Each structure stands twice: as structure tokens, then as C-alpha cells.
Amino acid sequence: MNRTRNLLDEALDLNNDNKGSRVVVIEDCVETSGAFVIHHLIKRNLSLPSSLIVFVAFSQPFSHYERILRKLGCNLVMQRENGRFHFLDMLSMQCPDGEEDKLCEGGLVSLYGKIQKAVEVSSSTEGNKNSVTIMIDDISLMEVAANGSSNHALDFLHYCLTLTSDFGCTLVILSHEDVYSNMEKPMLMLQMEYLADVLIKAEPLATGLATDVHGQVSLLIYFLTVVNRGRYEKGSLKTKTSNFQFKIRDNNVECFYPGSQT
Amino acid sequence: MAESVCRALRDGSMEGEHAAALTVKDSMKCPYGHNVFNHVLTQLSSNILSSKSQSKGLVLVALSQSPSFYYDLLRSRGIVDFVTNKWIHILDGYNDPLGWKKWLSEHDKIGSISSEIFASTTIFRNIKDLDQLLSLIIEVGKGLVGQGKGRFSVAIDSVSEMLRHVSLSSLAGLLSKLRGHDQISSTFWLLHSDLHDIKATAVLEYMSTMVITLEQTSESFDQQQTILENLSLHEQNSCKGKIQVRMKRRNGRVRVTCEEFDIDQSGMKFSSASPESATINQSLLPKVQFNLQLTEKERMDKENVVLPFEHQGNGKTIQIYDGRRALTEGKKGTEPTPTQQLPAVEDSGKGDIIYFRDSDDEMPDSDEDPDDDLDI
């Protein structure tokens, strides 16, 4: 089980200590949810010492994640009390209508403020070793909360991006591809693909539904020009593509290369 | 050709002319525009440092990468630490383009307005105010080169980021004011073309004297398809693509050239000659209804055909029907049937011309007048 489990980690290069700051974009669709990658990354990050997650939830309440993570063997309530899992419940968030300038009240700006505060606190108290991951589930609902303005959502993402370069955070964004399928040019998706260092796509199998395989994940790592706190790392340019299929089980997700499952 | 672009930026503009301008244009299919931009930036920087260029300073408007990224980039390329040098100034529109951080620190006491890391960096907090940006660029540039005749260059990374906040017309206004300013020698900017409509791209291309368009090579496209469809794991440490450079000369002549690039750890390499570019030239032929080119197989087949005159004297019986009965055949009284004349099937690799005579009654080449029976 451990071997197959590591496939996703391997593809993401998480086993490497040198993580660097990066942007991970997960694209999924109605038929195949990519939420399992989020759950996996939560568990993975919390199992590392001195790491912190700031979770911005637009789609599900805390109890949902708590239940799933408990099945995966991770106690979110405890982690939240320890201050390693910041959960920002945004289910009821609504940006006020009207002038853009008035967005400053109660909208995305204050949300960003909360994130920045959490990141700053963690990096000031426990030294620089803390690796902070900001997760957003999901960006399409954030766009809805921002009154359908993808520009505002992108502004918000840009500010989160400045945190990745200032504090070495990782940014994980989930988005739904098919929400924009009627648009010729989904600006938000394209912009995010430009931002992404790692792009994960979850799709259903082309051959249709199967009992043994739930879907297919393709993973594109574009180029890692890692900038670590003012250090321009040479030799970090790399493109990597992995394709594998997965099956969601009760308490874990099994990943395997196509054809390797008997 | 990337070199000639860098040369053109180095040489700048003549007195009373608009500044040379370069658009670096990429799309998601070949998203390495940043690498090209950085390449041009480092080239120009080293030219400025060795005072080969017309411009004596560089103002970099950083919107999609942090100033420290550029700082590290220039240092890693062996260009002298610019903290001590008074030739580059970065306008930081990356860290706080909308003033959120300032607002937060004033209202909620979150964070502090990040102090400027380097002396040669200025933060501006309102990307929507292009007038302010313009006056800031000019003020800072004059600070670098002084009031006199000295000139400086302006780099913007990237205009796509700006177009999210301001209208196309105001951006075009800013760019043309920059180009028209008599102390600016050259400008260049990065554009992600698929984020905008065709109009925006076209407007920016009109405004520039040079355009570098990044494209996928057909080879890498095929490769990518196979990877996506078949391979489970693929890793490579370099990226390839091709660039198309369009340069407008002073006399109005336009030159388009193609070049391939290769990005690896040490930077970008350009190579002009490639067998593929020959095929590009071929495909530039006007489209006609018939086929002008042969495929490889067609060419082989064509070469395999033995023409009738080719095997004469090789010791074989000459099988060409020359209009008379062959002497040997006449004596034997056996006329070869068409089937006997058919080439052996094993011989198929060689190719032959097969001729069936219409009928034995036919008297070929008789001296008779064929129109004899006509009653005129």
C-alpha cells in the first residue's frame, strides 16, 4: 500500500527535502473530483514536523474535512487546537455589492489579511523552518463570492503569490474546469495555468466508468525556477509529466500506472 | 535573430525618433516568454554595464515577479551586484499593486508596509493610476542618467498584468508616451497573448518595432501528445521551442525570421539552422490544387521504375513492341500471348511498364491511310 501511495508524492517531488516555494493548481471536473489530492496534501503536510496549513474553505464545512481526514488517519481537531491547521470558513462569505473600492470591507482583502497574519505569526515565532501551505478549496466558489469577478479572485491570488515569494509558502488551489466549459477563453483558468508550477488534472477515464479505476490524473510540472528567499537557484529548470490512474477506497487512494493493476 | 533584437535594443533610437520597442509574446502552448524576457534583460544589462549601449540606465517595472527575483537573476548571470551600481531601478508593482497591504497595516495592524529591500527599488501601490506610473518611470529614469542628454531603457513585466486593471487604450497611451519621450532609448515588454483578445495583441504589436513570438515546434508538439497519451512518466531538464522574430527597419522593410531555442540550466541558447525550418519554407509555397511534392515512398517508387530504353543491351530479350513481328517469333509461328509477357511477380520491386495490345487483328503502323474508308 505504501508503494502505491507514494506515486503521487513521487510525482510531486514531495519526498525531496528541497521543496521551495511553488504554486500547485488542481483542475477537476464533475465526473472526477480532485478533492482527494487536497486531502492527501493536508495529511502529507501535517505529518511533517513544523508545518502549517492555512485552509480557505469555500465549498465544505470543517466537519467534512475532519471526517475524511480521520479516515485517512489524521486528527484535524487536534491539529487545529495545536495551531497547525488554520481553518477559515468562508461558506457564508459575500463580497458587498457596489464600488470596487469598498471591497476593502469584509471582502477578499480582509480574508487576505487573515492569511497574512497567520503566515507572519508562524514565521516569526518558530523561526524560518516552518513551511506554510495555503490551500484554497475552491477558486470557482471564490469567484462566486466575489460577485463573479474573476479579476478580484485573481487579485487575491496575486497577493497570496507574494506570500509565496516572501515567506516561501506553497499555494495549493483547487478549481473546476467544467464550470467554464461554455466560455471560449476562461481567463481565470488560463491565468492560473500561467501561475502554476505544478498542474494536476483529474479526469474520468476516456473509456468510461470502471469499477477498478476511478479516474486518471495527469500531472504537469512546468518549470521550477525556485526562488528561495532571495536565492536564485540554478539548475532547477525541469519539466516533468506523469500520468497515472487512481482508485478511491474507503480510507485511502490508490494510485498506479495504467496497466500495472492486475 | 535574438541577437539582432538585443543589438537593436542596445543601439536604441535616433534623435527625434520613437524609441525602439520590443514585444515578447507567448501563449500557454509555449509558456517560456519569461525566459526570453529575462534573456533580453540580461543582455541589455550587460550592454549597459559595459557602456556599449545608447542607454545608460534601466527602469524595470516588475509586476509578475518580485524585485528580488530579478536581483538574484542578474547576480546569477554574473552581472555585477546592482546595489552599488546606479544604473538600474526597479519599480515594484508586484508586492502591493492595489494597496491592500498598506490598507491592512493601517487598519488592522497586520504586517508592516514592507520596507524597500534595496535602495534601487521603489514600491508603487496603485497599478490603476497610469499617469502616476508614467511620471514615476520618468522621474526615476532621470535620476539614473541625469537631466542632460543621457538616455535610459524601460522594461515592463508584464503588460498582461496591467491589462487586467486598465483599459487597452490607456495602456497604449502609456506605452506611446514612453516611446515618444526623448530620454528613452528603448523599451520592451512581455505579453501573454492568449489572455487577451486579438485586438489587444494587435495593438501592442503595431506599437512595437520588433516582435518575438514564441511557438511550439511541431516536433515538441508531437512529443507532448505522445507523452500525454501513452507515457506514464516523463522527465526532461530542458525546454525547446521556436521563436519568430519580426523586425521593422527604419526604412519600413519588415523582416521575419525563425529560430529555435533551447532553455537549460545555464540559460537560453538560440540556433538558427534546423532541418525543420526548411520545411517551413516549403510550406510557404502558394497553395495549389495539385501536389507539387512527392512523399518519400512516392519518390522511391518513381526511381524504381525501369524506363523502356534503360535495359537494352543488358542481355535480355527486348520486349518492347516495335510495331513489327519479331523475326524469331515469326519463324516459330507462336505469337507470345500477353500473359507471357507479364513480368514475374517476384520482380515487383523493380517496376515495369506493362502493355497489352488491344487486339491481334490490329495492324499497327500499316501504310494504309486510316481515313481510306471515309466517303467524302
Side-chain angles (χ1 to χ4, degrees), chain B residues 156-169:
Chain B
I156 301 173
D157 154 43
S158 62
V159 287
S160 293
E161 201 69 34
M162 286 175 126
L163 276 176
R164 249 178 359 95
H165 299 285
V166 299
S167 69
L168 177 63
S169 52

Side-chain angles (χ1 to χ4, degrees), chain A residues 178-240:
Chain A
D178 40 8
V179 176
Y180 306 97
S181 56
N182 63 335
M183 284 159 96
E184 206 176 287
K185 257 199 220 169
M187 227 258 279
L188 187 65
M189 296 300 276
L190 261 176
Q191 284 270 15
M192 285 206 302
E193 285 183 21
Y194 272 110
L195 293 182
D197 295 316
V198 179
L199 183 69
I200 303 176
K201 277 192 186 190
E203 300 162 313
L205 283 181
T207 47
L209 283 177
T211 47
D212 291 337
V213 184
H214 285 151
Q216 188 163 300
V217 177
S218 64
L219 212 130
L220 275 168
I221 297 187
Y222 281 115
F223 23 42
L224 304 174
T225 18
V226 183
V227 182
N228 273 339
R229 292 237 185 196
R231 205 154 56 86
Y232 181 78
E233 274 191 19
K234 266 178 131 188
S236 46
L237 183 98
K238 190 166 159 188
T239 58
K240 183 172 155 180

Side-chain angles (χ1 to χ4, degrees), chain A residues 104 112 120 151 154-155 158-159 161-162 165 185 191 194 223 230 232 235 238-243 257, chain B residues 27-28 32 72 94 96 98-101 103 111 164-165 192 194 196 227-228 231-232 234-236 265:
Chain A
C104 288
Y112 168 73
E120 275 178 355
N151 232 350
L154 282 170
D155 289 341
H158 179 90
Y159 272 92
L161 200 68
T162 61
S165 56
K185 257 199 220 169
Q191 284 270 15
Y194 272 110
F223 23 42
Y232 181 78
K238 190 166 159 188
T239 58
K240 183 172 155 180
T241 317
S242 332
N243 278 322
Y257 288 127
Chain B
S27 66
M28 207 57 231
Y32 309 118
D72 296 325
Y94 170 81
D96 197 9
L98 299 166
W100 288 13
K101 286 186 182 173
W103 190 89
R164 249 178 359 95
H165 299 285
H192 301 306
D194 47 358
H196 315 289
I227 291 167
L228 281 180
L231 288 179
S232 304
H234 177 84
E235 215 175 313
Q236 68 188 58
Q265 292 147 14

Side-chain angles (χ1 to χ4, degrees), chain B residues 191-259:
Chain B
L191 174 73
H192 301 306
S193 60
D194 47 358
L195 290 178
H196 315 289
D197 49 9
I198 303 162
K199 186 181 146 201
T201 317
V203 165
L204 291 168
E205 281 189 45
Y206 267 118
M207 298 187 63
S208 37
T209 48
M210 292 166 286
V211 181
I212 294 184
T213 312
L214 281 87
E215 286 161 6
Q216 217 173 9
T217 55
S218 53
E219 184 190 331
S220 67
F221 178 74
D222 293 344
Q223 202 187 5
Q224 203 177 339
Q225 289 301 315
T226 35
I227 291 167
L228 281 180
E229 281 160 18
N230 305 320
L231 288 179
S232 304
L233 184 67
H234 177 84
E235 215 175 313
Q236 68 188 58
N237 283 322
S238 68
C239 314
K240 282 192 170 102
K242 69 178 183 214
I243 55 168
Q244 203 186 53
V245 183
R246 203 194 66 203
M247 293 182 80
K248 255 188 278 184
R249 291 279 180 80
R250 206 164 263 127
N251 58 13
R253 233 175 77 193
V254 176
R255 203 166 139 214
V256 180
T257 42
C258 263
E259 212 175 30

Side-chain angles (χ1 to χ4, degrees), chain A residues 30-47:
Chain A
V30 172
E31 293 91 349
T32 310
S33 163
F36 76 93
V37 184
I38 290 264
H39 303 145
H40 179 81
L41 288 177
I42 295 178
K43 190 192 169 208
R44 172 87 206 174
N45 274 302
L46 288 179
S47 66

